[in-house]
Structure formats: C-alpha cells, structure tokens
C-alpha cells in the first residue's frame, strides 16, 4: 500500500515529501485521532498554523502516533498580528510551546498583508528564529512574486517554500514559474477545493471521471496526482483513515500530457475560490 513517496530537496537542503497532510479545522480529541492516524498511514509532512488553534492537537498526535518525531516534518505559520520582529519571535516560541516541540521543521509567514507592509520584518524574524534553532527551514504562504522578490532583495534569503491556493480552477502557472526561478518549491493548499460547490462538481465532471476510470483511481486521486506532476506538494485534509490512505496512494501511475491538458482547461485567471487575493486580502 505505502508506495515510496518521492522527495524534494528545498533550496536550504531540507528534504520534504511530495505530499503532506493538512490539519485545518482538525481539533480536540477527534483531531488528535485523525492526525495520528494520518502519520500511521504514511504522511510525514504535517501542516498547521498558529491561527488554526490546533498546534497542541498536532503535538499530542505526534506523541500518540507510532512515528518518531525525527521522521516527521512539522510545519506551522505566523499570523499577521505578529509580523513585528519581536512579536514574531515570541509567537514562534509560543507555537513551539503549544505543540510541545523543540523545533519546527518548517515555519511560514501565513499571509503577506501588504497594506500593513511589515512582512519583510516578519521575514527577518524567521531568519533569526532559524539561527536560534527554533526552525529548520523558513518559507511563506500566499506570497505573490513581487513579495518574494522583495524578501530576496532586502534580506538576501529566498523562502524555501511558498504555500499557495492551487486547484484545477486556479493552476497558478505564472506564480509557479516565478517561484521556480528562485528555487522556491510550491505547496498547494485546498488542492481539491475544500467544501466549495464548484469544486464538488469537478469530481463529478465527465472528463475527470473518464481519466479516473482509465487509471482505476478516484477523481480525488487524479486531482492530487495532477498537483504532483505540476511539481507542487498537495496537502489534502482527510479525517478518515480510508481517505487518508486513498489520498496518499497516487505514486503508482502517471497522467499523460493530454490528461494534464484537461486539467489546465478548468483554470481561470480569476479562479480563486474564496476571494482571497494576497494583494488585497489580509489575515491577522
């Protein structure tokens, strides 16, 4: 069942698997069970955030799972209200305490909030936190190419990873190309389009169903495979073991060029599903 999961080597040397597990809204006792079950099912990259208010749930799941801490890659994110340098350092410490961890493998700035324009300072804090050993690898989330350019220009340090909204309705071709130039690996949040009606329809789309049938896979597996072949790391969330196993079972087949084209045909320039354009949207 557990196919070998390929790895990326990030621009700072950290190796990360080609698929991760999203924990958004997984909380409390049930959340602990789901996340521990995902680790046991073969997920090693676990994604959380300060604002998900479940870092402690992730920490508890680590202790309950059969997987050793050093085999896991735990990733969290800095909220907008703590972009100021000193507040960021304290927030990262707090993140570690909540999860009861000595270090995070990855830590990202959750949103750039460019109207407030403190993200460069937040980035300097992440660089400092990495030097202190709080974090092994530092990245960003929802950063547009111009935000990344600025980080690199003003600090000389490129993010190792950029987690972006990416699904068949919004394939982020330009963003991916720009990030690649700086050796920034992409990660797809909402890879299937969590709970959006338009996306519920895509898994019933005839063209997708035909591709799924051709490979003996589910539509969801086909979509996740598309992310893999774009070179972006999908982080699907699933609470049941069956879905967790299904989502990770995507490394024994390949989509051909025409099948990849079918996915591109769904993408639209305004394809963001939650009206969260990082040049405008702010999260604190």
């Amino acid at each position: 069942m557990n196919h070998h999961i390929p790895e990326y080597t990030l621009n700072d040397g950290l190796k990360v698997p080609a698929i991760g597990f999203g924990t958004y809204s997984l909380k409390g006792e049930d959340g602990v069970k789901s996340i521990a079950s995902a680790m046991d099912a073969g997920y090693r990259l676990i994604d959380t955030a300060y604002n998900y208010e479940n870092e402690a749930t992730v920490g508890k799941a680590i202790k309950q799972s059969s997987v050793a801490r050093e085999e896991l890659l735990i990733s969290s994110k800095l909220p907008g209200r703590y972009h100021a340098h000193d507040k960021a350092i304290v927030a990262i410490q707090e993140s570690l305490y909540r999860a009861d961890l000595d270090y995070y493998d990855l830590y990202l700035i959750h949103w750039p909030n460019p109207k407030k324009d403190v993200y460069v300072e937040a980035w300097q804090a992440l660089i400092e936190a990495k030097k202190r050993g709080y974090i092994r690898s530092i990245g960003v989330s929802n950063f547009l190419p111009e935000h990344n350019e600025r980080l690199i220009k003003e600090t000389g340090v490129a993010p190792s990873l950029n987690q972006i909204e990416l699904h068949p309705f919004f394939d982020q071709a330009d963003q991916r190309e720009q990030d690649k130039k700086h050796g920034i690996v992409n990660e797809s949040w909402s890879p299937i389009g969590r709970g959006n009606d338009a996306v519920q329809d895509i898994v019933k789309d005839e063209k997708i169903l035909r591709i799924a049938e051709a490979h003996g896979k589910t539509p969801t597996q086909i979509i996740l495979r598309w992310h893999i072949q774009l070179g972006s790391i999908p982080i699907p969330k699933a609470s049941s073991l069956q879905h967790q196993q299904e989502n990770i079972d995507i490394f024994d087949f390949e989509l051909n060029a025409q099948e990849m084209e079918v996915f591109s045909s769904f993408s639209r320039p305004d394809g963001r599903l939650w009206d969260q354009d990082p040049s405008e949207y702010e999260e604190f």
Side-chain angles (χ1 to χ4, degrees):
M1 162 71 219
N2 220 333
H3 298 289
H4 176 67
I5 297 171
E7 287 183 323
Y8 291 98
T9 301
L10 303 183
N11 58 22
D12 56 14
L14 185 72
K15 287 184 165 55
V16 296
I19 188 169
F21 184 74
T23 67
Y24 178 77
S25 82
L26 296 176
K27 291 184 184 180
E29 199 182 333
D30 288 345
V32 171
K33 282 185 188 141
S34 288
I35 298 164
S37 135
M39 292 169 184
D40 296 338
Y43 292 87
R44 294 295 175 263
L45 174 62
I46 310 294
D47 178 78
T48 180
Y50 197 108
N51 272 354
Y52 297 172
E53 297 181 350
N54 70 351
E55 290 166 318
T57 304
V58 170
K60 185 110 172 129
I62 293 169
K63 292 184 174 59
Q64 287 198 5
S65 91
S66 59
V67 185
R69 163 67 184 106
E70 50 277 11
E71 283 181 41
L72 295 165
L73 293 132
I74 310 296
S75 177
S76 194
K77 308 182 197 79
L78 179 75
R81 61 190 177 279
Y82 297 136
H83 276 193
H85 183 280
D86 295 355
K87 284 183 176 176
I89 295 289
V90 172
I92 293 163
Q93 292 169 343
E94 184 61 33
S95 265
L96 288 167
Y97 302 156
R98 288 177 179 198
D100 194 16
L101 294 174
D102 296 326
Y103 64 92
Y104 275 100
D105 299 276
L106 272 156
Y107 207 87
L108 319 176
I109 301 175
H110 207 152
W111 287 88
N113 295 356
K115 290 183 208 163
K116 293 284 180 288
D117 194 19
V118 200
Y119 65 87
V120 176
E121 199 176 313
W123 186 240
Q124 282 158 338
L126 261 61
I127 294 170
E128 167 68 20
K130 186 181 174 182
K131 284 190 185 126
R132 292 190 190 185
Y134 299 162
I135 310 168
R136 292 173 69 198
S137 183
I138 55 177
V140 293
S141 181
N142 305 299
F143 272 51
L144 298 172
E146 66 256 32
H147 304 140
N148 286 328
E149 296 284 346
R150 197 169 149 209
L151 293 184
I152 295 164
K153 200 174 94 189
E154 295 190 25
T155 68
V157 179
S160 63
L161 183 138
N162 186 9
Q163 186 183 119
I164 53 177
E165 177 179 352
L166 206 173
H167 43 72
F169 292 112
F170 198 57
D171 73 3
Q172 291 270 30
D174 179 57
Q175 174 86 48
R176 285 186 289 110
E177 199 180 326
Q178 299 300 322
D179 283 349
K180 201 174 179 177
K181 282 181 190 162
H182 299 294
I184 302 170
V185 170
N186 288 124
E187 200 173 46
S188 315
W189 64 258
S190 191
I192 315 293
R194 58 157 203 239
N196 182 287
D197 295 341
V199 179
Q200 300 317 311
D201 295 339
I202 201 169
V203 293
K204 302 187 194 103
D205 184 274
E206 236 169 273
K207 290 175 286 197
I208 302 289
L209 287 169
R210 266 204 299 273
I211 298 173
E213 212 172 303
H215 292 280
K217 294 285 177 182
T218 67
T220 299
Q221 286 172 317
I222 296 294
I223 294 170
L224 291 171
R225 180 69 207 181
W226 169 74
H227 286 271
I228 301 291
Q229 289 182 221
L230 287 182
S232 190
I233 300 172
I235 45 170
K237 183 190 86 178
S239 27
S240 76
L241 178 63
Q242 188 199 331
H243 283 143
Q244 290 169 355
Q245 288 174 331
E246 186 183 299
N247 288 348
I248 210 170
D249 185 18
I250 54 174
F251 296 100
D252 57 348
F253 75 101
E254 222 169 287
L255 301 172
N256 65 33
Q258 284 152 307
E259 291 169 332
M260 290 294 284
E261 277 301 302
V262 169
F263 279 100
S264 308
S265 70
F266 287 99
S267 193
R268 315 186 293 256
D270 63 343
R272 296 186 191 276
L273 294 174
W274 292 272
D275 199 24
Q276 293 173 324
D277 176 350
S279 60
E280 293 293 322
Y281 179 80
E282 295 183 298
E283 186 174 296
F284 299 102

